[in-house]
Amino acid sequence: MPMSRRRPWRVRLRESAVWRSIVRTPPLDSPRGRALRSFGNVFLHLYPVRVPRAVLAFRSTFRLGFIATVLFAILAITGTYLMFFYTPAVTMAYGDMQQLRTRIGFGQLIRNVHRWGAHLMVLVVVLHLVRVFVHGAYKPPRQFNWVIGVGLLLVTLAWSFTGYLLPWDQLAYWAVTVGSDLVHYAPVVGGPLRDFLLGGSTIGQAALLRFYVIHVAVLTIAFLLLMAVHLWRVRKDGLAAGDPPHAHDVTARAADDARIAAIAGAALDIAEPPPTVVTGDGATVARPVPRVLGVVPPDPLSRAARPPDDEVFSWPHLIVRHQVVALATCALVLALGIAFEAPLRDLANPNLTPEPAKAPWYFVGLQELLAHFDPLVAGVLAPAVLVGALVMLPYVDRNPSRRPRDRRLALAIFALLFGALVVLTVIGAFFRGPGWAFVLPWDALYFEP
Amino acid sequence: MDDAMLPDPVARGTVTRRELLEAGWKIGGGLLAVAAAWTSWEALRPLADVSGGGVLALKPASSYTEGTATFVREGRLYVTRAGGALHALAQKCPHLGCAVPFCAASGRFECPCHGSHYDLAGEWLAGPAPRGMDRHPLQVIDGRVHVNTTVLELGPPLGTDRVRLPTREGGCAPPAP
Ligand code: HEM
Ligand code: FES
């Protein structure tokens, strides 16, 4: 066969039986083929085949939830790498951190990326929460996904906090001492709970091992479970930005609800005569009826009355946008990792507290509050009330409208609380020095990430 | 007899098999949860602190002079003499657990974390701490100081001023806002 007639090897590979058994690539020249592209691939299956066009706009979500997911992936990969070189023992941990820097190729870079990625994830998750609040995306039918989100926020914070102890340097030891001693102001259960977390009354070997196991195993499992529900619900309910305009309208909503109830009822109605199908040889037979084992409303509320003509295919429109955001996120943490070293202070010394001993920045607002109020109020009640209020928000806020001008009160309360948190954090992080005295950051900066 | 005439199962004092099984599942699940919680607690609850417990025999009482604080590393505590009496004060700040250093300039304990101050007797002077410094029982036996580190007594409440000490200028960590 003359060389010129041979097709390129890539084409031949794509057409080979083995390749086609691995990647099921339907022809993309028809809507059906494009839909199969999503159906036939477990990863793309995370996306619906079609999405409302409004979702393509960056400001529909600012892609914040997606960025948090990407950061999770980065942290899982770099964290696994770190696990190869880290021993959770007080005699080893600090030395291991030094070795990452001095002996292991790219060890320090991986550590930097893990550290900055973790800080960024806390920030991005909080911004995601703010975005969801401001868009009113926690309103029906997404109330419970907001609650799942609060769970994810707590997991993210616990992840950062447990990870903070692992380098076993002065920064780690004292930030965690101050942080975990807060628990013990909770009435009755506080003391035993703290000792349970630490495996003793002081931070030592037991605490290090516990934090390690919680950090790498317990929280990872909890996160994956919560994420499975979180993403599944986003997939089923669609994004709020893609809701039909009448989603804000109470009467149209009621009609939708009635429809859903009717559909759910119909699913149970097995007495209905089954339709027939025509087989290959022309005979008319009853179509086998799938048994009903549970109630699954076939169409989510938000999708019920969506005009079909404003939809686009997820592939490529949404997925390519996500890929760009994912790459930008990777580039950002890599750049941060190259530019800034993760800190490693002196070996942890239980007899010497460095000045000042600050909690990690996302808890420093709490620490600032502690300087003004009783520890029971500032350290236990305030955070408990905050988390409780977040969990209850979608059930307390019954205003169905998502338009900002209908939600002045909710937005004002949120802005007030969130503003207070930001102000406390900024004061605690930048304006406090030894003995928690007020300092100006341009005179002396006592901030350690 | 008509079905509708039957009294309901609870009123009859009987339950159907389905009801019994349903209740059984729930009770079984509940017991399993209790068992899981209990075994986890038993396995994970902190073991008795073996390290550092016991009675420390320290130097002769006369070597702790008025106005000094001596750090005892084995017990993470200070032996002080204030107003004539000896005290064994835990180094751990009763506020949030930082290690409180003694400030020679001011003659006080000054916590670097949130600026709680205590006098030489461990009585609270300033800052966010909820009480004075915690302490261990101290005895002088045959002239030597003995401190029992297995017992920790909570510090005196705010406002306690049993031991009057002269105030000095200077300081290490400024008092809390
Ligand atoms: C580890 C943390 C989290 C991750 C990885 C995550 C991930 C995501 C993703 C990928 C989406 C799709 C939309 C988008 O890209 O923004 C989403 C939507 C959503 N998230 Fe999260 N999330 C997290 C935490 C939270 C928190 C803290 C809340 C609120 C308390 C929350 C509430 C919601 C809600 C209500 C939606 C639906 C929004 C809509 O329909 O517009 N999530 N999340
Ligand atoms: S830990 Fe000493 S003042 Fe807060």
Side-chain angles (χ1 to χ4, degrees):
Chain A
M1 201 197 307
M3 283 297 286
S4 60
R5 290 194 53 206
R6 285 184 61 177
R7 282 163 319 140
W9 64 269
R10 286 178 57 223
V11 174
R12 279 187 297 136
L13 179 68
R14 288 262 174 98
E15 285 172 359
S16 72
V18 173
W19 180 270
R20 288 209 317 249
S21 79
I22 302 169
V23 185
R24 295 172 182 166
T25 328
L28 290 178
D29 51 6
S30 69
R32 191 175 165 276
R34 279 191 283 264
L36 277 174
R37 176 83 174 214
S38 290
F39 286 149
N41 180 311
V42 65
F43 303 107
L44 295 187
H45 211 111
L46 280 170
Y47 293 89
V49 172
R50 292 162 287 128
V51 290
R53 200 172 147 198
V55 161
L56 296 185
F58 183 70
R59 58 169 205 291
S60 67
T61 59
F62 299 97
R63 312 276 188 256
L64 286 161
F66 178 71
I67 296 174
T69 314
V70 173
L71 285 169
F72 162 71
I74 294 173
L75 289 167
I77 293 166
T78 50
T80 307
Y81 185 89
L82 291 173
M83 281 173 78
F84 282 110
F85 306 105
Y86 178 83
T87 323
V90 293
T91 48
M92 303 277 294
Y94 185 74
D96 286 347
M97 299 319 279
Q98 287 177 318
Q99 291 220 353
L100 271 177
R101 189 200 161 86
T102 52
R103 290 191 49 193
I104 291 151
F106 296 108
Q108 183 69 26
L109 177 65
I110 297 281
R111 188 179 160 224
N112 296 347
V113 168
H114 195 74
R115 183 122 177 162
W116 305 139
H119 284 317
L120 207 59
M121 180 153 168
V122 175
L123 189 71
V124 167
V125 170
V126 169
L127 291 178
H128 174 56
L129 181 150
V130 172
R131 189 294 287 180
V132 171
F133 180 87
V134 171
H135 283 176
Y138 57 87
K139 304 200 172 199
R142 301 184 181 82
Q143 306 97 308
F144 190 65
N145 214 17
W146 168 274
V147 177
I148 299 277
V150 176
L152 284 167
L153 173 69
L154 296 181
V155 168
T156 309
L157 288 176
W159 239 334
S160 283
F161 187 66
T162 47
Y164 218 81
L165 181 66
L166 303 182
W168 203 251
D169 63 347
Q170 280 286 72
L171 196 58
Y173 187 90
W174 291 104
V176 172
T177 299
V178 171
S180 58
D181 244 45
L182 282 176
V183 179
H184 125 263
Y185 281 99
V188 190
V189 291
L193 191 65
R194 194 206 50 180
D195 293 358
F196 187 73
L197 267 178
L198 298 183
S201 57
T202 49
I203 295 184
Q205 177 56 55
L208 181 59
L209 189 57
R210 266 165 210 222
F211 273 46
Y212 177 75
V213 174
I214 292 173
H215 187 77
V216 304
V218 178
L219 291 172
T220 310
I221 293 167
F223 180 84
L224 291 176
L225 282 175
L226 289 170
M227 270 305 272
V229 181
H230 199 63
L231 291 183
W232 185 77
R233 289 224 168 197
V234 172
R235 172 86 159 68
K236 291 289 159 180
D237 293 342
L239 284 168
D243 281 356
H246 82 244
H248 314 273
D249 178 333
V250 200
T251 34
R253 287 300 283 270
D256 255 8
D257 283 347
R259 256 190 50 142
I260 293 281
I263 296 166
L268 271 184
D269 189 4
I270 29 182
E272 195 178 305
T276 51
V277 284
V278 180
T279 59
D281 46 7
T284 304
V285 297
R287 190 203 302 268
V289 181
R291 285 184 303 146
V292 176
L293 300 174
V295 185
V296 184
D299 235 8
L301 181 61
S302 55
R303 195 157 300 188
R306 183 178 295 156
D309 51 1
D310 73 342
E311 294 197 321
V312 294
F313 279 105
S314 298
W315 172 268
H317 300 291
L318 182 60
I319 294 176
V320 165
R321 280 169 169 79
H322 273 185
Q323 284 172 347
V324 171
V325 171
L327 281 178
T329 308
C330 292
L332 176 65
V333 286
L334 190 62
L336 285 173
I338 292 170
F340 303 104
E341 295 260 284
L344 188 66
R345 301 275 159 262
D346 294 338
L347 176 65
N349 178 356
N351 292 321
L352 180 73
T353 306
E355 301 208 35
K358 289 192 183 180
W361 64 266
Y362 35 84
F363 288 143
V364 107
L366 211 63
Q367 207 181 352
E368 176 62 28
L369 207 60
L370 270 167
H372 305 278
F373 294 96
D374 185 78
L376 180 61
V377 176
V380 182
L381 289 182
V385 166
L386 199 67
V387 172
L390 281 178
V391 168
M392 282 171 356
L393 167 75
Y395 305 101
V396 172
D397 177 7
R398 306 290 285 273
N399 171 4
S401 174
R402 296 210 219 113
R403 270 187 243 119
R405 70 185 134 91
D406 299 337
R407 305 174 57 215
R408 292 219 174 92
L409 181 65
L411 287 170
I413 296 176
F414 188 82
L416 202 71
L417 285 177
F418 189 69
L421 188 67
V422 171
V423 168
L424 285 172
T425 305
V426 168
I427 294 180
F430 300 113
F431 291 87
R432 293 295 182 189
W436 215 248
F438 190 83
V439 293
L440 293 171
W442 40 92
D443 290 344
L445 186 61
Y446 296 94
F447 174 65
E448 279 188 289
Chain B
M1 198 165 57
D2 196 332
D3 254 11
M5 300 292 286
L6 280 173
D8 75 276
V10 177
R12 264 183 302 161
T14 59
V15 282
T16 61
R17 190 172 64 156
R18 174 177 295 214
E19 283 163 347
L20 183 75
L21 279 174
E22 259 173 23
W25 278 116
K26 283 177 194 148
I27 294 169
L31 286 177
L32 209 62
V34 170
W38 179 43
T39 46
S40 315
W41 173 264
E42 268 307 300
L44 289 173
R45 82 191 156 83
L47 303 174
D49 270 330
V50 270
S51 58
V55 176
L56 296 175
L58 304 174
K59 283 187 267 179
S62 55
S63 59
Y64 301 101
T65 54
E66 181 67 27
T68 60
T70 313
F71 184 57
V72 181
R73 180 174 277 276
E74 314 88 280
R76 292 210 188 137
L77 55 88
Y78 294 95
V79 175
T80 68
R81 190 186 283 277
L86 288 164
H87 307 269
L89 306 173
Q91 184 202 23
K92 191 174 189 272
C93 182
H95 181 230
L96 285 180
C98 288
V100 187
F102 181 69
C103 175
S106 66
R108 290 187 295 253
F109 293 99
E110 301 187 358
C111 184
C113 289
H114 315 95
S116 287
H117 287 191
Y118 313 91
D119 67 17
L120 255 190
E123 287 169 357
W124 174 88
L125 296 172
R131 57 178 185 269
M133 291 167 80
D134 299 337
R135 60 229 25 239
H136 301 287
L138 179 149
Q139 273 184 308
V140 180
I141 304 169
D142 297 335
R144 282 184 69 184
V145 169
H146 288 72
V147 175
N148 183 354
T149 59
T150 51
V151 179
L152 187 70
E153 293 159 359
L154 294 190
L158 304 188
T160 308
D161 196 8
R162 263 183 266 123
V163 189
R164 294 234 146 233
L165 293 164
T167 39
R168 263 194 268 169
E169 288 306 309
C172 302

